[in-house]
Amino acid sequence: MPGLTDLVGLAGAAAAIAAALLGLPGIARLRRAHPAPLLFAALGAAFVPLGALPAAGYLRGIVGDLSVTTGLLLLRGLLRPVLGWAAIDARSRLALQILVAAGGVVLYPLALGYGSFDPYRLGYANPWFLGGLLALAVAAGLRRLTLVTWCLALAVLAWALGAYESRNLWDYLVDPLVAAWGLGGILIRGAQGLRLPRQTYRLATSSTAQNVGKAQFSPSRQTTLTTSP
């Protein structure tokens, strides 16, 4: 009988596989009409034995246990068509992307030795780290960033319950996949922000040129040119 840590780890991997299968172009169209059956089929496919292990077991062996943040995002994405949930609001998504991207950028290079300080040690029940997360969760709640609050609260709860094999809180908060998602979202948003002023400038320039052209070739202008000595 698998233990709690194995069940949680396999569930996260199965959710990732199901999300990938349901995101395929052909299946995505069918999902709109039959969300629940396709969800159960995709989750079942993740546990189909492939030799000694199911597909979810192989994925877990490759990427490790996914963070609670990634699991919550996957779960919400899988259940949204079934339960009719609204999309994540832009403010909460951006706030979470900034947090996980910052966590990944700070954590992984320093943990690999690119600096004198190792932030990974803070995850072993450091009271200041826990207090900072609590303050951040409260601030997110006051700002109505619900997604951020849920991710922080559930990550700390799972860590307190020992849901993963790891006893480091960082592994419950962030993983390379969600850090890449956050960083990619920020970069895309930044690129769109840079493109918008250029498009606005081009539209304004084009509009000005058209107005000048109309003024030069308007009937009143032509009459003036014709009657002038």
Side-chain angles (χ1 to χ4, degrees):
M1 180 68 182
L4 175 62
T5 57
D6 291 327
L7 291 176
V8 173
L10 288 173
I17 292 175
L21 292 176
L22 294 174
L24 296 175
I27 298 178
R29 289 192 295 269
L30 292 175
R31 189 184 180 192
R32 299 188 186 98
H34 309 284
L38 284 177
L39 173 58
F40 286 116
L43 290 174
F47 288 101
V48 171
L50 299 175
L53 294 172
Y58 287 108
L59 180 61
R60 186 192 179 200
I62 295 172
V63 302
D65 291 335
L66 300 177
S67 66
V68 172
T69 304
T70 301
L72 186 60
L73 290 172
L74 289 172
L75 183 63
R76 197 185 190 285
L78 291 173
L79 293 180
R80 180 190 168 196
V82 179
L83 301 179
W85 289 343
I88 299 172
D89 65 278
R91 290 178 62 251
S92 291
R93 183 190 298 109
L94 178 60
L96 184 61
Q97 287 176 334
I98 292 174
L99 286 178
V100 296
V105 169
V106 170
L107 175 64
Y108 296 118
L110 293 178
L112 292 174
Y114 293 97
S116 58
F117 174 67
D118 183 8
Y120 193 72
R121 293 180 297 178
L122 298 175
Y124 291 108
N126 183 283
W128 292 103
F129 186 50
L130 289 171
L133 291 177
L134 175 61
L136 188 60
V138 172
L142 293 176
R143 297 286 295 177
R144 296 186 179 181
L145 302 173
T146 309
L147 182 62
V148 176
T149 303
W150 274 105
C151 288
L152 291 174
L154 291 178
V156 174
L157 178 61
W159 170 77
L161 295 175
Y164 291 175
E165 292 180 352
S166 173
R167 294 305 303 139
N168 192 292
L169 182 53
W170 277 111
D171 295 323
Y172 295 75
L173 292 167
V174 67
D175 59 64
L177 294 180
V178 77
W181 168 78
L183 186 59
I186 293 173
L187 293 177
I188 292 173
R189 188 181 182 91
Q192 292 174 343
L194 291 175
R195 191 182 299 116
L196 184 60
R198 293 178 183 177
Q199 293 176 346
T200 304
Y201 173 76
R202 290 174 183 173
L203 290 174
T205 304
S206 176
S207 177
T208 302
Q210 291 177 358
N211 291 334
V212 171
K214 290 179 180 178
Q216 290 177 345
F217 296 100
S218 62
S220 59
R221 178 64 176 174
Q222 292 177 356
T223 303
T224 303
L225 291 175
T226 302
T227 58
S228 61

